[in-house]
């Protein structure tokens, strides 16, 4: 095996242009690793400054009515994961700014895609683009060339006569390409980790990336070796391999999402807003004191305090009303946004499992997931932000109710100290086990491919008679 | 060999190869499916905008009925007084701004799914409001790109051409037939003829696809629009065929030729567009619209805290057509507040223009790379014609600002002049606000 490996590497190195190609690839990966990180840093710095600036505004608001403060609200910015520098995933297409206020759950706005032309349908030139699309194509072609040149020069017959096992030869070729392929992945991750600083969560995600790319490269090389061995004509093998690459990379991922969209349709925005509005109006509306639910709430509060009118209450009933309105609203948001997120998750699961014929789809999912740039992370951010909004608004409403004012006193103001005591939003990314759970189908399917191809390579026999 | 013979043999070779037959078949089916997806987006956006238009008309009809019945407002909302410009226009004449889809969207969905495409405008609206959200979609699907005709023609067509052309010359070289071809005739002419045969085949295919797309767009696109779309698509086809022809002159064998063709695709379709996109993102990171957040918070407070006399002087200076004879004591409270509202509106428009100019600069810089970024250039031509590029969105954003300014001005000026709104004034204002809508 060792001699096969060294021989293959020697052959690779003497292939015309190979050293230049390897150098160009390394330089491109180095550059994209740096550029991705640089953008991440610039954006992170801007977000940090914006966050500080908005917090300063909040802390210098002066004495205000708590409910007015709920309308003043706060803004949170979707924080990029550091590994967005490796794989940008869906980040360009999701908004960055989220307005958190009373009465409603807003959505992220101002995506990168809405701020200019999208020039590349495959995203920015990040390491993932090179490692997912370009490098596998090269590995595919080199694996093909390796088998065909052996056969065309009739060296293969000689090797077999000397007792070399064909499967051993193929495995030798496989590892000889897989090792440099992985070298590029590890080099890129190494550069990014080095510049970002090693930390537990980052290293675990980087390891997941390395595993994913490692499995995929193994599949690509093994498939190329198997197909090149199985087919009689060079052109047929080459056509098959290039056809597979086109279908995997360009066609299949888009088709699976289109099918997922048909099987698990998402509501349109107008329909979504209308159904939320309808459900909302069926419940308590804090600004419309004519509803029956108000009466029930009012009676229960009056009874609890043993008084007969809101004016006699030692608290501000308006604050309780606003909070009750929030909680009714939250039930509506939970139902509709919950259904929306569930539907998106169903789409994702379908796409993952439907990627059985397309390991590229599994790699793409795994890469986006590990880099924290997939929809799973997006939804996780939105959920955490919404949880924060609810605590934020409840704090304000409760202060409005129990802060010392009486019902109807809309001129009541809280001092700045109270507002300063409300903590800012801090986002914590999903845990690694959650990430692994989300990516389990992708990992399983990649392993299924490995198993099938391992058997295929073990059993394949070369077509010696043909050119 | 005559051209007719060359075409005959080349086409025969295309249809005798199971691989080429499959890949061309997949390309045609995917293109038709892509146009069908484009049609769905087109019809959906058209339907939503029509729905909003109907809602607007219903609101107008409701207002007109109130005027005709001599009522002050609807019974369900006793605080609404339709004789005042503020309520009459804000409740019943809120303009709807829509990014009207072009029937050419069938050919290129472009960025249409990343942009919001409708907005109900009020006096303080801006294109940076938090309701400016695009249609609901799975961001992962959007990031993979819509399976539209534009994607097929710009990204998949070159790969189909590569598959068809990767044997031209290289196979003959590999099986030592090239010299024989040279002996029998001019080998360069023979190769040119084969590329011409491919060009004719794909031009016919393009014509067929354009016709199907035109039908899917309900025949709404005119001949010039379809012709222009076809012209750019044809130029793109020729660009790739010429490029592949020159690359085939490198005299490589089959694998080498396939590799070099694919490298060209990777360079033009992945590396250059991706690198430009990355460079632009580094130069112009997401603005986060912080200026607009500030404008709506501290900016608003600052304006409302300005001295009335100075603010009024500034506003009346920019609107000399407004009456300046009456003392403030004879004007309504809303008319006086209108001074601050007008000042705030002007401020919002200024901030909007500032944010827009940054984004326009970003777009110009990105497009400055087009001479070395042909794939993005052609892709942009298709989306531009289909009104699914940033230019169409920018127009939509400008329209939002313009309508908000107009609505604010109508309310402010009429409140200032003490206008009592009746049916006639209401309809006149509707005409001003909605134009021909």
């Amino acid at each position: 095996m060792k001699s096969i490996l060294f021989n293959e590497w020697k052959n690779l190195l003497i292939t015309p242009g190979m050293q230049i190609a390897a150098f160009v690839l390394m330089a491109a990966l180095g550059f994209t690793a740096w550029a991705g990180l640089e953008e991440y840093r610039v954006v992170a710095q801007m977000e940090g400054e914006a966050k500080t600036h908005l917090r300063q505004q909040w802390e210098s608001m002066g004495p205000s009515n708590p409910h007015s403060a709920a309308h003043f609200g706060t803004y949170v910015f979707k924080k990029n994961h550091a590994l967005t520098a490796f794989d940008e995933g869906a980040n360009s297409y999701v908004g960055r700014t989220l307005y958190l206020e009373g009465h409603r759950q807003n959505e992220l706005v101002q995506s990168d895609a809405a701020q200019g032309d999208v020039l590349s349908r495959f995203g920015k030139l990040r390491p993932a683009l090179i490692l997912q699309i370009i490098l596998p194509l090269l590995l595919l072609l080199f694996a093909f060339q390796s088998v065909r040149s052996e056969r065309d020069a009739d060296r293969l017959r000689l090797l077999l006569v000397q007792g070399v096992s064909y499967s051993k030869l193929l495995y030798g070729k496989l590892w000889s390409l897989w090792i440099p392929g992985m070298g590029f992945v590890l080099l890129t991750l190494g550069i990014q980790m080095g510049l970002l600083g090693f930390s537990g969560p980052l290293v675990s995600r980087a390891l997941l990336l390395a595993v994913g790319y490692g499995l995929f490269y193994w599949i690509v090389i093994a498939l190329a070796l198997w197909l090149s061995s199985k087919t009689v004509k060079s052109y047929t093998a080459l056509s098959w391999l290039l056809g597979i690459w086109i279908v995997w990379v360009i066609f299949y991922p888009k088709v699976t999402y289109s099918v997922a969209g048909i099987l698990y349709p998402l509501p349109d925005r107008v329909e979504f807003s209308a159904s939320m509005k309808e459900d909302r109006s069926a419940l308590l509306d804090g600004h419309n004191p004519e509803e029956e639910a108000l009466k029930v709430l009012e009676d229960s509060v009056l009874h609890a305090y043993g008084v007969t009118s809101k004016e006699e209450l030692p608290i501000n009933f308006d604050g309780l009303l606003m909070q009750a309105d929030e909680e009714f609203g939250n039930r509506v948001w939970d139902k509709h946004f919950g259904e929306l997120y569930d539907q998106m998750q169903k789409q994702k699961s379908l796409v993952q499992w439907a990627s059985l014929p397309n390991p590229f789809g599994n790699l793409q999912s795994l890469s986006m997931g590990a880099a924290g740039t997939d929809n799973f992370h997006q939804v996780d951010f939105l959920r955490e932000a919404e949880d924060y909004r609810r605590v934020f608004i409840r704090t304000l409403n409760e202060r409005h109710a129990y802060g010392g004012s009486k019902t109807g006193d809309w001129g009541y103001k809280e001092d700045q100290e109270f507002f300063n005591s409300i903590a800012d939003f801090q986002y914590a990314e999903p845990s690694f086990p959650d990430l692994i759970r989300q990516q389990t189908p992708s990992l399983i399917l990649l392993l299924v491919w490995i198993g099938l191809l391992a058997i295929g390579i073990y059993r394949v026999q070369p077509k010696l008679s043909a050119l | 060999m005559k051209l007719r013979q060359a075409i005959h043999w080349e086409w025969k070779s295309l249809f005798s190869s199971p691989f080429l037959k499959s890949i061309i078949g997949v390309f045609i089916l995917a293109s038709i499916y892509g146009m069908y997806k484009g049609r769905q987006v087109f019809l959906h956006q058209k339907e939503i905008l029509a729905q909003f238009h109907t809602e607007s008309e219903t609101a107008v009809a409701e207002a007109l009925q109130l005027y005709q019945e001599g009522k002050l407002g609807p019974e369900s909302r006793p605080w609404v007084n339709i004789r005042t410009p503020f309520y009459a226009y804000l409740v019943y004449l809120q303009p709807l701004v829509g990014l009207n889809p072009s029937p050419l969207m069938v050919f290129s969905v472009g960025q249409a799914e990343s942009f919001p495409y409708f907005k109900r405008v009020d006096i303080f609206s801006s294109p940076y409001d938090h309701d400016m959200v695009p249609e609901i979609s799975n961001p992962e699907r959007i990031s993979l790109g819509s399976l539209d005709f534009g994607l097929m023609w710009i990204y998949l067509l070159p790969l189909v051409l590569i598959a068809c052309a990767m044997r031209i010359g290289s196979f003959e070289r590999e099986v030592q037939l090239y010299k024989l071809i040279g002996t029998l005739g001019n080998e360069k002419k023979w190769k040119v003829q084969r590329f011409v045969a491919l060009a004719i085949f794909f031009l016919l295919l393009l014509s067929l696809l354009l016709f199907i797309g035109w039908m899917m767009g309900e025949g709404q696109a005119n001949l010039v629009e379809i012709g222009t779309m076809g012209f750019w698509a044809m130029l793109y086809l020729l660009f790739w065929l010429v490029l592949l022809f020159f690359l085939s002159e490198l005299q490589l064998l089959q694998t080498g030729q396939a590799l070099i063709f694919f490298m060209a695709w990777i360079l033009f379709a992945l590396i250059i567009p991706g690198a430009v996109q990355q460079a632009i993102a580094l130069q112009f990171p997401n603005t986060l619209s912080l200026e607009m957040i500030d404008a709506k918070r501290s900016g608003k407070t600052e304006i409302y805290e300005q001295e009335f006399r100075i603010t009024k002087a500034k506003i009346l200076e920019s609107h000399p057509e407004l009456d300046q004879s009456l003392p403030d004591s004879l004007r309504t409270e809303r008319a006086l507040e209108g001074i601050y509202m007008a000042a705030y509106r002007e401020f919002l428009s200024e901030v909007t223009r500032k944010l827009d100019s940054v984004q326009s600069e970003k777009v110009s810089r990105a497009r400055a790379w087009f001479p070395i970024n042909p794939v993005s250039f052609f892709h942009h031509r298709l989306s531009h014609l289909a009104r699914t590029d940033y230019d169409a969105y920018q127009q939509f954003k400008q329209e939002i600002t313009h309508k908000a300014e107009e609505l604010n001005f109508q309310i402010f000026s009429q409140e200032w002049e003490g206008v009592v709104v009746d049916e006639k004034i209401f309809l006149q204002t509707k005409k001003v606000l909605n134009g021909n809508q």
Side-chain angles (χ1 to χ4, degrees), chain A residues 85 215 389:
Chain A
L215 293 176
R389 184 190 77 84

Side-chain angles (χ1 to χ4, degrees), chain A residues 337-365:
Chain A
F337 279 97
E339 283 170 1
L340 178 66
Y341 298 154
D342 284 350
Q343 202 74 344
M344 283 181 175
Q345 181 53 42
K346 281 180 189 163
Q347 289 189 348
K348 173 77 180 184
S349 297
L350 179 85
V351 168
Q352 279 181 310
W353 288 112
S355 294
L356 174 63
N358 180 18
F360 174 78
N362 294 123
L363 172 72
Q364 218 174 20
S365 168

Side-chain angles (χ1 to χ4, degrees), chain B residues 241-352:
Chain B
L241 284 172
V242 170
L243 180 70
L244 296 182
F245 174 81
F246 282 112
L247 290 175
S248 73
E249 289 289 284
L250 292 172
Q251 317 271 321
L252 298 167
L253 300 181
Q254 282 192 83
T255 315
Q257 184 150 309
L259 184 63
I260 206 84
F261 281 6
F262 271 90
M263 287 297 126
W265 182 84
I266 283 172
L267 178 71
F268 285 108
L270 299 182
I271 295 181
I272 296 177
V276 173
Q277 187 88 46
Q278 179 63 78
I280 296 297
L282 274 171
Q283 223 176 339
F284 296 91
N286 193 310
T287 61
L288 304 174
S289 312
L290 192 60
E291 290 89 341
M292 187 53 77
I293 298 172
D294 279 348
K296 295 214 164 186
R297 292 175 141 196
S298 49
K300 186 178 183 183
T301 313
E302 280 164 23
I303 284 172
Y304 276 75
E305 281 172 356
Q306 279 174 7
E307 200 183 321
F308 179 76
R309 189 178 49 83
I310 299 170
T311 314
K312 180 184 148 190
K314 268 190 206 162
I315 294 297
L316 292 183
E317 193 187 326
S318 55
H319 297 291
E321 70 278 21
L322 293 178
D323 173 67
Q324 304 194 17
S325 60
L326 279 183
D328 291 344
S329 55
L330 291 178
R331 298 200 190 270
T332 62
E333 200 179 313
R334 188 162 287 125
L336 298 176
E337 199 196 334
I339 290 288
Y340 283 119
M341 286 160 74
Y344 179 46
R345 177 62 257 171
E346 279 183 10
F347 177 59
L348 285 178
S349 299
E350 197 185 307
V351 175
T352 301

Side-chain angles (χ1 to χ4, degrees), chain A residues 83-349:
Chain A
L83 283 170
T84 193
F86 182 86
D87 186 344
E88 207 191 20
N91 263 9
S92 281
Y93 296 88
V94 294
R96 307 303 301 264
T97 310
L98 179 64
Y99 177 39
L100 306 180
E101 59 171 335
H103 305 302
R104 62 174 63 86
Q105 178 173 346
N106 290 315
E107 289 179 67
L108 280 161
V109 290
Q110 303 305 333
S111 66
D112 289 359
Q115 294 194 353
D117 283 333
V118 171
L119 297 173
S120 168
R121 290 290 279 262
F122 292 89
K124 292 171 191 157
L125 190 61
R126 290 280 163 91
L129 184 77
I130 298 176
L131 297 171
Q132 275 176 18
I133 300 182
I134 301 173
L135 188 57
L137 176 67
L138 294 176
L139 293 174
L140 202 96
L141 289 171
F142 288 138
F144 160 80
Q145 184 64 16
S146 170
V147 171
R148 303 309 295 200
S149 63
E150 209 84 75
R151 189 193 300 180
D152 294 350
D154 230 8
R155 278 196 304 272
L156 184 59
R157 199 187 300 271
L158 200 65
L159 286 168
L160 293 177
V161 168
Q162 286 176 341
V164 176
S165 136
Y166 187 62
S167 65
K168 201 172 169 187
L169 185 70
L170 286 187
Y171 274 113
K173 288 179 183 298
L174 198 158
W175 294 117
S176 74
L177 287 169
W178 186 84
I179 292 169
M182 279 310 289
F184 287 117
V185 175
L186 295 175
L187 171 82
T188 311
L189 287 170
I191 292 173
Q192 295 204 320
M193 292 290 112
L195 292 170
L196 280 167
F198 291 84
S199 68
L202 210 56
V203 170
S204 52
R205 281 170 178 260
L207 274 175
L208 181 62
L209 281 171
V211 168
Y213 281 85
L215 293 176
F216 181 65
Y217 289 174
W218 203 97
I219 292 165
V220 166
I221 302 164
L223 182 70
L225 295 173
W226 180 78
L227 258 173
S228 306
S229 304
K230 284 289 279 184
T231 45
V232 177
K233 292 180 181 173
S234 292
Y235 174 68
T236 313
L238 189 59
S239 305
W240 264 104
L241 290 172
L242 296 177
I244 287 171
W245 181 81
I246 292 170
V247 170
W248 278 4
V249 174
I250 312 277
F251 198 64
Y252 200 82
K254 290 162 183 64
V255 171
T256 44
Y257 255 114
S258 288
V259 172
I262 294 167
L263 294 178
Y264 299 110
L266 302 179
D268 68 51
R269 185 157 297 288
V270 175
E271 185 192 318
F272 186 68
S273 307
S275 49
M276 282 202 295
K277 200 174 167 185
E278 195 187 322
D279 283 359
R280 191 76 174 78
S281 62
L283 295 166
L284 184 67
D285 172 358
H287 283 307
N288 186 359
E290 295 167 2
E291 314 218 4
E292 271 180 40
L294 167 67
K295 189 76 188 128
V296 176
L297 176 70
E298 195 181 315
D299 288 348
S300 68
V301 174
L302 294 180
H303 183 255
Y305 280 91
V307 293
T308 53
S309 73
K310 286 186 288 183
E311 288 68 32
E312 290 173 57
L313 283 169
I315 59 160
N316 191 332
F317 180 73
D318 297 326
L320 294 183
L321 178 60
M322 291 298 162
Q323 186 51 32
D325 171 47
E326 280 296 330
E327 277 158 21
F328 281 120
N330 293 345
R331 274 162 47 195
V332 175
W333 318 141
D334 283 344
K335 180 185 163 213
H336 292 273
F337 279 97
E339 283 170 1
L340 178 66
Y341 298 154
D342 284 350
Q343 202 74 344
M344 283 181 175
Q345 181 53 42
K346 281 180 189 163
Q347 289 189 348
K348 173 77 180 184
S349 297

Side-chain angles (χ1 to χ4, degrees), chain B residues 383-422:
Chain B
S383 357
H384 184 74
L385 286 168
R387 286 179 44 80
T388 56
D389 66 337
Y390 183 77
D391 296 340
Y393 182 56
Q394 178 57 30
Q395 274 178 20
F396 167 65
K397 292 200 299 179
Q398 281 167 348
E399 188 68 1
I400 290 171
T401 309
H402 171 70
K403 292 278 184 192
E405 285 170 342
E406 192 60 60
L407 177 66
N408 185 66
F409 180 70
Q410 287 301 322
I411 292 174
F412 165 60
S413 61
Q414 292 188 26
E415 290 282 1
W416 186 257
E417 306 285 349
V419 171
V420 175
V421 184
D422 57 16

